[in-house]
Amino acid sequence: MTDILDNPRVAVPTMTDAEASAIKVTARRVTRSEWLKLRTLRSSWLTMALAIVSVPGIGIAIAWSTANDWPNMRPRQKLHFDPLADPLSGFNLAQLAVGVLAVMLIAGEYSGGMIRATLAAVPRRLPVLWAKVGVLTTLTLVTMVPTAIVTFFISEHFLAVRHIAVTWSTPDVPRIVIGVGLYLTVVAALAMGIGAIVRNVAGGIGAFVGIILVLPVIASALPQTWGDRINKWLPSNAGQALMSISSDNSTLSPWRGFIVFAGYAVVALIAASILLRRRDA
Amino acid sequence: MCAVIEATQLVKRYGEKTAVDDLSFSVKPGIVTGFLGPNGAGKSTTMRMIVGLDAPTSGAVTVNGRPYAEHRAPLHEVGALLEAKAVQNGRSARNHLLVLAATCGISSRRVDELLGLVGLADVASKRVGGFSLGMGQRLGLAAALLGDPATLILDEPVNGLDPDGILWIRHLLRDLAAEGRTVLVSSHLMSEMALTADHLLVIGRGRLIADVPVAEFIRQASSDLVNVRTPDGGRLRELLVGATVHVTASSPGRLEVLGMTSEQIGDIAAANGIRLHELVAHQASLEEAFMSLTHDSLEYQPTEVTHP
């Protein structure tokens, strides 16, 4: 700092006209900025690592221990074991990690004053939201689809020893395995919409967990005639239809359920975009 | 030169509370314009409206003829330092600037140049969460300068700076204005503005109180008040009072004379054989002038408690 005082004439480096006319805001540049934002916070790495590790971590542990215990398991336990769904059940933890990351990416800007620096740089505002959604859903898709596939093959490798494995060529299997990645991608978009509406990290995570986890639990307490009609339309139940083998009256068909779930995310993001334009930052 | 920032009948209400009330002003390039007012007068709200962070309830404000949000290269138009901690704590200083630079393709070379300029090169890779208020102000200033902006809007930039830093920022603001840029800087300290600004916009309770060159404000403010103590108060008073001279007596022997120098008073007294025991010229400080100007518009005034 002393050199500044010794030389009080402060010259701000100026730009040439060519340089100055090149510094326009574009969707591509805002996307780069949001990617850089995500990469430069430790919390993103931690939550994303948790999401990626939890699926194979839980899945392989279940497959490995089941394969080991198989001869000692009672017939009822064997009947309850689902060799496809159980090794993929790590998505339950992964969805929390992805949701928390999504809420933090947007609502975290409001806990300090970062959002004001962001919106002063991108005063049209909406490119910021779309860039955040684009970056996080792309990241989730390209990491979680392969993670689910790898988890499937390793888990089934262990289960094959006991001849209880399912194979990739079995009907519905690719849809269910890849569905884990697709479901988590929509979770990211939905959570980002919630975070943008709530604008508070703790509140956003609370709302997200409430909608994804708590709502189905509360709804399951409804009388069955009501429950069968309502429960399947709840966001997480609808989305998880993509990962179920059979559909009966109490669940939506896989793709229909997934589209309903994606619809919730779209509604949340549209609401978020309207509020982002309207509200003072 | 024509004005760069033009506010027309700006109004901002939060529910019942009116933060900015029918504010019209213009800010010209090439000089430092001080935005002066007590805390809560509406300075920050006005600045946020200029860069489109808050929407006015009514009225409009333009930068270079257009609302800020309509500029294609906003960071080249306006650099704003609105709060020292417009950051996410987990990020390093350099990454914070890189993130903002990326929105419009500003090079990392320029980011490094600016980190050097504001004196943060040594701590560029440190998390900004650990920064002092002064370091935060320097980082905010670097962010404001990223796009080589034609206009700078700085909200209380000297807050938290040490004396060296305050001196440095005064030089910087004057140099930026000398380069032909438009500089709007807010403060609640008249003394700070007297040293930095060329022109003053004084606001209180969201209203414009004065729009004057600093030099004129100082001249108006420093009207002489002379305290006189004399045993012949009544006679002297009659001799002094006139169209442009105002005399008040706090007690029979003490007069406060406004509108006449101590020399003139002394001469008149001598010519009329009036004994003076005390003759003190008292120049109102800038701070006092500012206080008297904004007194009626203070938002939070201490209420006087009277005991029976």
Side-chain angles (χ1 to χ4, degrees):
Chain A
M1 281 179 218
T2 42
D3 52 331
I4 288 166
L5 283 176
D6 294 343
N7 178 17
R9 294 268 108 190
V10 191
V12 174
T14 51
M15 289 180 168
T16 62
D17 285 351
E19 280 177 306
S21 62
I23 58 164
K24 294 193 170 96
V25 178
T26 63
R28 203 193 152 104
R29 284 168 170 173
V30 177
T31 305
R32 261 205 65 206
S33 168
E34 290 302 329
W35 171 233
L36 196 58
K37 270 187 198 165
L38 186 148
R39 269 178 27 205
T40 51
L41 285 181
R42 200 189 301 155
S43 53
S44 328
W45 290 90
L46 289 174
T47 45
M48 206 61 221
L50 177 62
I52 292 171
V53 168
S54 58
V55 175
I58 292 171
I60 294 168
I62 288 174
W64 181 77
S65 64
T66 305
N68 273 345
D69 285 351
W70 194 254
N72 309 321
M73 280 166 70
R74 281 184 228 130
R76 250 189 65 168
Q77 285 177 306
K78 289 182 178 178
L79 202 64
H80 266 282
F81 180 71
D82 183 333
L84 178 59
D86 287 359
L88 292 174
S89 59
F91 85 84
N92 282 301
L93 183 56
Q95 70 178 355
L96 288 182
V98 167
V100 166
L101 173 57
V103 171
M104 282 195 309
L105 277 181
I106 182 102
E109 291 211 24
Y110 287 90
S111 57
M114 183 67 195
I115 191 67
R116 286 180 279 284
T118 300
L119 296 183
V122 188
R124 285 170 188 264
R125 298 191 175 186
L126 290 191
V128 174
L129 181 63
W130 305 139
K132 277 185 196 291
V133 173
V135 163
L136 185 65
T137 52
T138 306
L139 178 67
T140 310
L141 190 69
V142 302
T143 54
M144 298 317 294
V145 169
T147 300
I149 293 173
V150 167
T151 303
F152 169 80
F153 280 106
I154 297 177
S155 305
E156 300 308 323
H157 170 78
F158 285 116
L159 296 175
V161 180
R162 302 295 177 193
H163 309 290
I164 48 172
V166 290
T167 60
W168 184 255
S169 54
T170 313
D172 297 333
V173 167
R175 186 249 301 162
I176 290 169
V177 175
I178 293 171
V180 170
L182 296 179
Y183 172 80
L184 291 174
T185 301
V186 177
V187 164
L190 176 64
M192 189 151 273
I194 293 169
I197 293 167
V198 177
R199 302 201 292 185
N200 173 288
V201 174
I205 292 174
F208 166 74
V209 170
I211 288 167
I212 290 289
L213 290 184
V214 181
L215 208 55
V217 174
I218 294 171
S220 67
L222 289 170
Q224 199 182 346
T225 46
W226 282 76
D228 279 356
R229 250 183 262 165
I230 294 171
N231 290 358
K232 58 187 172 187
W233 296 98
L234 296 178
S236 48
N237 289 346
Q240 287 170 21
L242 188 62
M243 295 175 275
S244 57
I245 295 174
S246 59
S247 50
D248 55 31
N249 208 15
S250 67
T251 60
L252 298 174
S253 68
W255 288 109
R256 193 173 177 205
F258 184 69
I259 287 166
V260 168
F261 186 43
Y264 280 111
V266 168
V267 168
L269 286 171
I270 288 174
S273 69
I274 293 169
L275 290 171
L276 181 65
R277 282 293 294 267
R278 283 212 189 141
R279 291 195 286 208
D280 289 342
Chain B
M1 266 188 274
C2 60
V4 171
I5 301 173
E6 284 273 10
T8 327
Q9 297 180 309
L10 269 185
V11 176
K12 181 67 182 177
R13 287 196 198 93
Y14 298 102
E16 290 285 287
K17 205 172 127 42
T18 303
V20 173
D21 191 0
D22 196 23
L23 198 58
S24 298
F25 61 85
S26 58
V27 183
K28 292 177 182 61
I31 56 170
V32 177
T33 302
F35 201 24
L36 184 65
N39 288 326
K43 302 187 297 290
S44 302
T45 305
T46 304
M47 287 179 149
R48 280 202 303 273
M49 286 193 284
I50 297 173
V51 290
L53 292 173
D54 285 11
T57 307
S58 66
V61 58
T62 57
V63 180
N64 227 341
R66 285 191 225 171
Y68 175 69
E70 286 179 15
H71 287 287
R72 301 292 295 142
L75 289 187
H76 186 54
E77 213 61 50
V78 178
L81 165 60
L82 297 184
E83 54 199 307
K85 290 278 177 172
V87 295
Q88 266 174 311
N89 289 336
R91 213 169 269 128
S92 72
R94 186 167 186 271
N95 281 334
H96 172 71
L97 294 180
L98 285 175
V99 157
L100 296 175
T103 60
C104 55
I106 293 169
S107 69
S108 60
R109 188 175 50 82
R110 187 172 173 84
V111 165
D112 292 328
E113 281 174 357
L114 287 170
L115 280 167
L117 176 85
V118 300
L120 291 178
D122 295 342
V123 291
S125 57
K126 294 268 191 329
R127 287 160 48 98
V128 294
F131 276 19
S132 66
L133 182 57
M135 289 159 89
Q137 294 281 25
R138 287 168 184 272
L139 181 61
L141 200 61
L145 292 169
L146 267 181
D148 190 20
T151 300
L152 277 138
I153 296 176
L154 311 170
D155 196 3
E156 305 262 0
V158 302
N159 262 8
L161 289 181
D162 52 25
D164 288 355
I166 292 174
L167 193 65
W168 171 75
I169 214 162
R170 271 183 212 146
H171 280 294
L172 180 69
L173 295 180
R174 301 215 64 92
D175 289 355
L176 288 167
E179 288 171 18
R181 298 180 212 255
T182 308
V183 181
L184 178 64
V185 54
S186 79
S187 177
H188 61 280
L189 296 173
M190 179 62 217
S191 50
E192 181 55 38
M193 289 289 92
L195 289 164
T196 319
D198 304 295
H199 193 89
L200 280 183
L201 296 170
V202 184
I203 69 168
R205 283 203 179 175
R207 291 213 179 112
L208 192 66
I209 296 174
D211 184 349
V212 289
V214 170
E216 194 185 319
F217 183 82
I218 292 172
R219 202 171 55 242
Q220 283 177 2
S222 40
S223 57
D224 292 325
L225 183 75
V226 183
N227 287 314
V228 187
R229 193 155 64 85
T230 167
D232 304 318
R235 261 186 70 211
L236 182 63
R237 183 181 180 154
E238 277 169 29
L239 287 166
L240 294 179
V241 166
T244 57
V245 183
H246 191 70
V247 180
T248 46
S250 51
S251 67
R254 286 179 183 278
L255 302 181
E256 283 185 350
V257 185
L258 200 65
M260 202 178 257
T261 65
S262 51
E263 288 85 352
Q264 291 170 313
I265 298 168
D267 290 349
I268 291 173
N272 292 279
I274 294 172
R275 291 164 297 160
L276 297 183
H277 293 168
E278 203 175 293
L279 184 63
V280 182
H282 174 79
Q283 196 172 51
S285 73
L286 283 175
E287 217 64 55
E288 285 169 322
F290 169 51
M291 302 264 280
S292 70
L293 194 59
T294 57
H295 181 78
D296 298 333
S297 63
L298 276 183
E299 184 174 18
Y300 306 106
Q301 284 199 45
T303 38
E304 278 176 42
V305 182
T306 45
H307 295 284

